[in-house]
Amino acid sequence: MKNSRRDFIEKTLKAAIVGTVGVPLIARPAKGAVSRSTSIPPYLFKQIQLPYAVNALEPSIDAQTMEIHYGKHHASYVKNVNEAIASEKVTFASEEDLFKNISTVSDKIRNNAGGAYNHNFFWAVMKPASAESPSGKALDAINGAFGSVDKFKEQFTDAAMKRFGSGWAWLVSDNGQLKIGSTPNQDNPLMGNSEFKGTPLLGLDVWEHAYYLKYQNKRNEYITNWWNVVNWNEVAKRLG
Ligand code: MN3
């Protein structure tokens, strides 16, 4: 009895230390408990302004898909995550901190925070059709990691095609090493317990809502045409 009580006290103390020293603080205070987290103003996700008109990515991505995708799907993720953050009293310092500690929050926050972040990222790494190829820093990095742009596209397409059901394909930098992979649902490679991790450089939404109106079941065609609207300058920027 004595031992287990001491164990309990030790564990409690350790938990308290972890809870007060770590910088990325995600805490869900118990009812009535005063938590340090209450001193941090609640973080709010924001939906970025589309950097182009809804029809600007035609013919690769049609205007109606963009309208629904940005105006309904993405807007809902942002609204829902902010509601869940408020009602569950979860606090954190940045989106990166939240994702790092994502295993400690509810599925509602996980799914909607991922959806809010991933779509902000997605809009930013596209631009009106230019069919540009990577150049400069991005070209060097891709050639270095994958041999050629064509081989990179092949591997990326393969990851996007093999993602069963809904999810995302990614190019990430993992401590300076470029890697291709995918995540399910609205997960992303910043999530602490993701099987595929790294800093996102390029991401592709392969949920059916991203392409079904124009491409129906032809995910492959959607991906082929998507390469025409990739914003390689943004990829290069994220390479640092
Ligand atoms: Mn989507």
Side-chain angles (χ1 to χ4, degrees), residues 69-70 73-74 77 115 118-119 122-123 167-168 186 205-210 222:
H69 200 178
Y70 175 82
H73 291 282
H74 189 200
Y77 294 128
N118 293 352
H119 288 87
F122 188 48
W123 315 132
W168 291 75
Q186 293 295 355
D205 188 342
V206 294
W207 282 56
E208 283 188 345
H209 69 224
Y222 159 63

PDB file of all heavy atoms in Angstrom, residues 69-70 73-74 77 115 118-119 122-123 167-168 186 205-210 222, ligand 1:
ATOM      1  N   HIS A  69     -15.001  23.618 -52.493  1.00  0.00           N
ATOM      2  CA  HIS A  69     -13.857  23.134 -51.709  1.00  0.00           C
ATOM      3  C   HIS A  69     -13.373  24.218 -50.740  1.00  0.00           C
ATOM      4  O   HIS A  69     -13.185  23.964 -49.549  1.00  0.00           O
ATOM      5  CB  HIS A  69     -12.738  22.726 -52.691  1.00  0.00           C
ATOM      6  CG  HIS A  69     -11.721  21.796 -52.111  1.00  0.00           C
ATOM      7  ND1 HIS A  69     -10.671  21.297 -52.855  1.00  0.00           N
ATOM      8  CD2 HIS A  69     -11.576  21.261 -50.868  1.00  0.00           C
ATOM      9  CE1 HIS A  69      -9.939  20.502 -52.077  1.00  0.00           C
ATOM     10  NE2 HIS A  69     -10.467  20.464 -50.888  1.00  0.00           N
ATOM     11  N   TYR A  70     -13.185  25.415 -51.254  1.00  0.00           N
ATOM     12  CA  TYR A  70     -12.714  26.526 -50.423  1.00  0.00           C
ATOM     13  C   TYR A  70     -13.854  27.076 -49.554  1.00  0.00           C
ATOM     14  O   TYR A  70     -13.702  27.259 -48.345  1.00  0.00           O
ATOM     15  CB  TYR A  70     -12.143  27.642 -51.306  1.00  0.00           C
ATOM     16  CG  TYR A  70     -11.745  28.882 -50.526  1.00  0.00           C
ATOM     17  CD1 TYR A  70     -10.515  28.949 -49.867  1.00  0.00           C
ATOM     18  CD2 TYR A  70     -12.602  29.986 -50.429  1.00  0.00           C
ATOM     19  CE1 TYR A  70     -10.153  30.070 -49.140  1.00  0.00           C
ATOM     20  CE2 TYR A  70     -12.246  31.108 -49.702  1.00  0.00           C
ATOM     21  CZ  TYR A  70     -11.016  31.152 -49.050  1.00  0.00           C
ATOM     22  OH  TYR A  70     -10.662  32.266 -48.332  1.00  0.00           O
ATOM     23  N   HIS A  73     -16.073  23.177 -47.746  1.00  0.00           N
ATOM     24  CA  HIS A  73     -15.260  22.195 -47.007  1.00  0.00           C
ATOM     25  C   HIS A  73     -14.237  22.885 -46.102  1.00  0.00           C
ATOM     26  O   HIS A  73     -14.203  22.650 -44.896  1.00  0.00           O
ATOM     27  CB  HIS A  73     -14.531  21.253 -47.983  1.00  0.00           C
ATOM     28  CG  HIS A  73     -15.433  20.329 -48.719  1.00  0.00           C
ATOM     29  ND1 HIS A  73     -15.962  19.195 -48.153  1.00  0.00           N
ATOM     30  CD2 HIS A  73     -15.917  20.369 -49.985  1.00  0.00           C
ATOM     31  CE1 HIS A  73     -16.726  18.564 -49.032  1.00  0.00           C
ATOM     32  NE2 HIS A  73     -16.714  19.262 -50.169  1.00  0.00           N
ATOM     33  N   HIS A  74     -13.401  23.718 -46.712  1.00  0.00           N
ATOM     34  CA  HIS A  74     -12.336  24.340 -45.925  1.00  0.00           C
ATOM     35  C   HIS A  74     -12.916  25.260 -44.851  1.00  0.00           C
ATOM     36  O   HIS A  74     -12.473  25.239 -43.692  1.00  0.00           O
ATOM     37  CB  HIS A  74     -11.374  25.111 -46.846  1.00  0.00           C
ATOM     38  CG  HIS A  74     -10.136  25.596 -46.153  1.00  0.00           C
ATOM     39  ND1 HIS A  74      -9.367  26.613 -46.658  1.00  0.00           N
ATOM     40  CD2 HIS A  74      -9.541  25.215 -44.989  1.00  0.00           C
ATOM     41  CE1 HIS A  74      -8.337  26.827 -45.832  1.00  0.00           C
ATOM     42  NE2 HIS A  74      -8.421  26.000 -44.821  1.00  0.00           N
ATOM     43  N   TYR A  77     -13.953  23.236 -41.838  1.00  0.00           N
ATOM     44  CA  TYR A  77     -12.853  22.764 -40.988  1.00  0.00           C
ATOM     45  C   TYR A  77     -12.410  23.884 -40.039  1.00  0.00           C
ATOM     46  O   TYR A  77     -12.170  23.661 -38.853  1.00  0.00           O
ATOM     47  CB  TYR A  77     -11.652  22.318 -41.831  1.00  0.00           C
ATOM     48  CG  TYR A  77     -11.903  21.099 -42.688  1.00  0.00           C
ATOM     49  CD1 TYR A  77     -11.631  21.109 -44.058  1.00  0.00           C
ATOM     50  CD2 TYR A  77     -12.381  19.914 -42.128  1.00  0.00           C
ATOM     51  CE1 TYR A  77     -11.843  19.981 -44.854  1.00  0.00           C
ATOM     52  CE2 TYR A  77     -12.597  18.788 -42.916  1.00  0.00           C
ATOM     53  CZ  TYR A  77     -12.327  18.829 -44.272  1.00  0.00           C
ATOM     54  OH  TYR A  77     -12.541  17.723 -45.052  1.00  0.00           O
ATOM     55  N   GLY A 115      -7.596  19.646 -41.367  1.00  0.00           N
ATOM     56  CA  GLY A 115      -8.303  20.186 -42.536  1.00  0.00           C
ATOM     57  C   GLY A 115      -8.060  21.676 -42.722  1.00  0.00           C
ATOM     58  O   GLY A 115      -7.879  22.154 -43.843  1.00  0.00           O
ATOM     59  N   ASN A 118      -4.132  21.987 -43.713  1.00  0.00           N
ATOM     60  CA  ASN A 118      -3.777  21.367 -44.992  1.00  0.00           C
ATOM     61  C   ASN A 118      -4.310  22.164 -46.177  1.00  0.00           C
ATOM     62  O   ASN A 118      -3.630  22.308 -47.195  1.00  0.00           O
ATOM     63  CB  ASN A 118      -4.326  19.934 -45.061  1.00  0.00           C
ATOM     64  CG  ASN A 118      -3.654  19.004 -44.057  1.00  0.00           C
ATOM     65  OD1 ASN A 118      -2.680  19.387 -43.412  1.00  0.00           O
ATOM     66  ND2 ASN A 118      -4.190  17.807 -43.914  1.00  0.00           N
ATOM     67  N   HIS A 119      -5.528  22.689 -46.056  1.00  0.00           N
ATOM     68  CA  HIS A 119      -6.091  23.442 -47.187  1.00  0.00           C
ATOM     69  C   HIS A 119      -5.432  24.806 -47.333  1.00  0.00           C
ATOM     70  O   HIS A 119      -5.179  25.243 -48.453  1.00  0.00           O
ATOM     71  CB  HIS A 119      -7.612  23.536 -47.055  1.00  0.00           C
ATOM     72  CG  HIS A 119      -8.298  22.216 -47.315  1.00  0.00           C
ATOM     73  ND1 HIS A 119      -8.499  21.290 -46.323  1.00  0.00           N
ATOM     74  CD2 HIS A 119      -8.780  21.664 -48.455  1.00  0.00           C
ATOM     75  CE1 HIS A 119      -9.094  20.217 -46.847  1.00  0.00           C
ATOM     76  NE2 HIS A 119      -9.277  20.414 -48.139  1.00  0.00           N
ATOM     77  N   PHE A 122      -2.470  23.945 -49.184  1.00  0.00           N
ATOM     78  CA  PHE A 122      -2.789  23.532 -50.564  1.00  0.00           C
ATOM     79  C   PHE A 122      -3.022  24.739 -51.479  1.00  0.00           C
ATOM     80  O   PHE A 122      -2.473  24.823 -52.569  1.00  0.00           O
ATOM     81  CB  PHE A 122      -4.028  22.635 -50.513  1.00  0.00           C
ATOM     82  CG  PHE A 122      -4.408  21.960 -51.801  1.00  0.00           C
ATOM     83  CD1 PHE A 122      -3.470  21.299 -52.575  1.00  0.00           C
ATOM     84  CD2 PHE A 122      -5.754  21.944 -52.221  1.00  0.00           C
ATOM     85  CE1 PHE A 122      -3.843  20.635 -53.752  1.00  0.00           C
ATOM     86  CE2 PHE A 122      -6.136  21.289 -53.385  1.00  0.00           C
ATOM     87  CZ  PHE A 122      -5.185  20.634 -54.152  1.00  0.00           C
ATOM     88  N   TRP A 123      -3.855  25.707 -51.022  1.00  0.00           N
ATOM     89  CA  TRP A 123      -4.120  26.886 -51.861  1.00  0.00           C
ATOM     90  C   TRP A 123      -2.824  27.626 -52.157  1.00  0.00           C
ATOM     91  O   TRP A 123      -2.627  28.167 -53.234  1.00  0.00           O
ATOM     92  CB  TRP A 123      -5.108  27.848 -51.209  1.00  0.00           C
ATOM     93  CG  TRP A 123      -6.335  27.241 -50.597  1.00  0.00           C
ATOM     94  CD1 TRP A 123      -6.853  27.500 -49.358  1.00  0.00           C
ATOM     95  CD2 TRP A 123      -7.237  26.275 -51.191  1.00  0.00           C
ATOM     96  NE1 TRP A 123      -7.981  26.752 -49.143  1.00  0.00           N
ATOM     97  CE2 TRP A 123      -8.242  25.995 -50.235  1.00  0.00           C
ATOM     98  CE3 TRP A 123      -7.273  25.613 -52.432  1.00  0.00           C
ATOM     99  CZ2 TRP A 123      -9.282  25.087 -50.480  1.00  0.00           C
ATOM    100  CZ3 TRP A 123      -8.303  24.699 -52.668  1.00  0.00           C
ATOM    101  CH2 TRP A 123      -9.277  24.452 -51.713  1.00  0.00           C
ATOM    102  N   GLY A 167      -7.267  11.336 -48.302  1.00  0.00           N
ATOM    103  CA  GLY A 167      -6.005  11.703 -47.685  1.00  0.00           C
ATOM    104  C   GLY A 167      -5.212  12.671 -48.522  1.00  0.00           C
ATOM    105  O   GLY A 167      -5.769  13.345 -49.407  1.00  0.00           O
ATOM    106  N   TRP A 168      -3.930  12.738 -48.232  1.00  0.00           N
ATOM    107  CA  TRP A 168      -3.038  13.711 -48.869  1.00  0.00           C
ATOM    108  C   TRP A 168      -1.726  13.055 -49.259  1.00  0.00           C
ATOM    109  O   TRP A 168      -1.229  12.186 -48.549  1.00  0.00           O
ATOM    110  CB  TRP A 168      -2.732  14.853 -47.875  1.00  0.00           C
ATOM    111  CG  TRP A 168      -3.927  15.718 -47.582  1.00  0.00           C
ATOM    112  CD1 TRP A 168      -4.998  15.392 -46.796  1.00  0.00           C
ATOM    113  CD2 TRP A 168      -4.179  17.030 -48.078  1.00  0.00           C
ATOM    114  NE1 TRP A 168      -5.891  16.439 -46.782  1.00  0.00           N
ATOM    115  CE2 TRP A 168      -5.401  17.463 -47.552  1.00  0.00           C
ATOM    116  CE3 TRP A 168      -3.454  17.901 -48.920  1.00  0.00           C
ATOM    117  CZ2 TRP A 168      -5.946  18.714 -47.836  1.00  0.00           C
ATOM    118  CZ3 TRP A 168      -3.993  19.154 -49.207  1.00  0.00           C
ATOM    119  CH2 TRP A 168      -5.228  19.547 -48.665  1.00  0.00           C
ATOM    120  N   GLN A 186      -7.434  13.878 -42.709  1.00  0.00           N
ATOM    121  CA  GLN A 186      -6.840  15.217 -42.714  1.00  0.00           C
ATOM    122  C   GLN A 186      -5.552  15.246 -41.888  1.00  0.00           C
ATOM    123  O   GLN A 186      -5.125  16.304 -41.425  1.00  0.00           O
ATOM    124  CB  GLN A 186      -7.850  16.264 -42.199  1.00  0.00           C
ATOM    125  CG  GLN A 186      -9.054  16.474 -43.104  1.00  0.00           C
ATOM    126  CD  GLN A 186      -8.689  17.057 -44.472  1.00  0.00           C
ATOM    127  OE1 GLN A 186      -7.552  17.402 -44.751  1.00  0.00           O
ATOM    128  NE2 GLN A 186      -9.688  17.175 -45.333  1.00  0.00           N
ATOM    129  N   ASP A 205      -4.255  17.295 -52.184  1.00  0.00           N
ATOM    130  CA  ASP A 205      -5.496  16.774 -51.617  1.00  0.00           C
ATOM    131  C   ASP A 205      -6.052  15.705 -52.559  1.00  0.00           C
ATOM    132  O   ASP A 205      -6.341  15.998 -53.720  1.00  0.00           O
ATOM    133  CB  ASP A 205      -6.491  17.951 -51.500  1.00  0.00           C
ATOM    134  CG  ASP A 205      -7.759  17.607 -50.739  1.00  0.00           C
ATOM    135  OD1 ASP A 205      -8.053  16.406 -50.577  1.00  0.00           O
ATOM    136  OD2 ASP A 205      -8.458  18.550 -50.328  1.00  0.00           O
ATOM    137  N   VAL A 206      -6.143  14.458 -52.078  1.00  0.00           N
ATOM    138  CA  VAL A 206      -6.732  13.415 -52.930  1.00  0.00           C
ATOM    139  C   VAL A 206      -8.087  12.920 -52.388  1.00  0.00           C
ATOM    140  O   VAL A 206      -8.534  11.830 -52.719  1.00  0.00           O
ATOM    141  CB  VAL A 206      -5.766  12.229 -53.196  1.00  0.00           C
ATOM    142  CG1 VAL A 206      -4.576  12.702 -54.020  1.00  0.00           C
ATOM    143  CG2 VAL A 206      -5.298  11.540 -51.925  1.00  0.00           C
ATOM    144  N   TRP A 207      -8.729  13.739 -51.568  1.00  0.00           N
ATOM    145  CA  TRP A 207     -10.122  13.444 -51.217  1.00  0.00           C
ATOM    146  C   TRP A 207     -10.955  13.562 -52.496  1.00  0.00           C
ATOM    147  O   TRP A 207     -10.679  14.418 -53.348  1.00  0.00           O
ATOM    148  CB  TRP A 207     -10.649  14.464 -50.207  1.00  0.00           C
ATOM    149  CG  TRP A 207     -10.205  14.261 -48.785  1.00  0.00           C
ATOM    150  CD1 TRP A 207      -8.927  14.180 -48.327  1.00  0.00           C
ATOM    151  CD2 TRP A 207     -11.061  14.123 -47.640  1.00  0.00           C
ATOM    152  NE1 TRP A 207      -8.935  13.998 -46.961  1.00  0.00           N
ATOM    153  CE2 TRP A 207     -10.219  13.969 -46.519  1.00  0.00           C
ATOM    154  CE3 TRP A 207     -12.448  14.130 -47.461  1.00  0.00           C
ATOM    155  CZ2 TRP A 207     -10.728  13.806 -45.229  1.00  0.00           C
ATOM    156  CZ3 TRP A 207     -12.954  13.971 -46.178  1.00  0.00           C
ATOM    157  CH2 TRP A 207     -12.095  13.800 -45.081  1.00  0.00           C
ATOM    158  N   GLU A 208     -11.993  12.772 -52.606  1.00  0.00           N
ATOM    159  CA  GLU A 208     -12.833  12.875 -53.818  1.00  0.00           C
ATOM    160  C   GLU A 208     -13.421  14.272 -53.971  1.00  0.00           C
ATOM    161  O   GLU A 208     -13.638  14.731 -55.086  1.00  0.00           O
ATOM    162  CB  GLU A 208     -13.940  11.819 -53.783  1.00  0.00           C
ATOM    163  CG  GLU A 208     -13.412  10.438 -54.128  1.00  0.00           C
ATOM    164  CD  GLU A 208     -14.498   9.399 -54.282  1.00  0.00           C
ATOM    165  OE1 GLU A 208     -15.639   9.655 -53.847  1.00  0.00           O
ATOM    166  OE2 GLU A 208     -14.199   8.322 -54.829  1.00  0.00           O
ATOM    167  N   HIS A 209     -13.683  14.987 -52.859  1.00  0.00           N
ATOM    168  CA  HIS A 209     -14.275  16.323 -52.991  1.00  0.00           C
ATOM    169  C   HIS A 209     -13.341  17.274 -53.743  1.00  0.00           C
ATOM    170  O   HIS A 209     -13.768  18.310 -54.217  1.00  0.00           O
ATOM    171  CB  HIS A 209     -14.696  16.893 -51.626  1.00  0.00           C
ATOM    172  CG  HIS A 209     -13.584  17.263 -50.688  1.00  0.00           C
ATOM    173  ND1 HIS A 209     -13.607  16.955 -49.347  1.00  0.00           N
ATOM    174  CD2 HIS A 209     -12.421  17.931 -50.875  1.00  0.00           C
ATOM    175  CE1 HIS A 209     -12.506  17.421 -48.764  1.00  0.00           C
ATOM    176  NE2 HIS A 209     -11.775  18.015 -49.681  1.00  0.00           N
ATOM    177  N   ALA A 210     -12.064  16.912 -53.848  1.00  0.00           N
ATOM    178  CA  ALA A 210     -11.088  17.772 -54.530  1.00  0.00           C
ATOM    179  C   ALA A 210     -11.152  17.618 -56.048  1.00  0.00           C
ATOM    180  O   ALA A 210     -10.619  18.461 -56.774  1.00  0.00           O
ATOM    181  CB  ALA A 210      -9.678  17.459 -54.036  1.00  0.00           C
ATOM    182  N   TYR A 222      -6.682  13.810 -62.619  1.00  0.00           N
ATOM    183  CA  TYR A 222      -6.628  14.982 -61.739  1.00  0.00           C
ATOM    184  C   TYR A 222      -5.177  15.282 -61.367  1.00  0.00           C
ATOM    185  O   TYR A 222      -4.714  16.426 -61.466  1.00  0.00           O
ATOM    186  CB  TYR A 222      -7.472  14.688 -60.495  1.00  0.00           C
ATOM    187  CG  TYR A 222      -7.208  15.510 -59.245  1.00  0.00           C
ATOM    188  CD1 TYR A 222      -7.416  16.894 -59.215  1.00  0.00           C
ATOM    189  CD2 TYR A 222      -6.788  14.884 -58.060  1.00  0.00           C
ATOM    190  CE1 TYR A 222      -7.204  17.619 -58.035  1.00  0.00           C
ATOM    191  CE2 TYR A 222      -6.579  15.602 -56.894  1.00  0.00           C
ATOM    192  CZ  TYR A 222      -6.780  16.975 -56.882  1.00  0.00           C
ATOM    193  OH  TYR A 222      -6.567  17.682 -55.722  1.00  0.00           O
TER     194      TYR A 222
HETATM  195 MN   MN3 B   1     -10.071  18.997 -49.398  1.00  0.00          MN
END
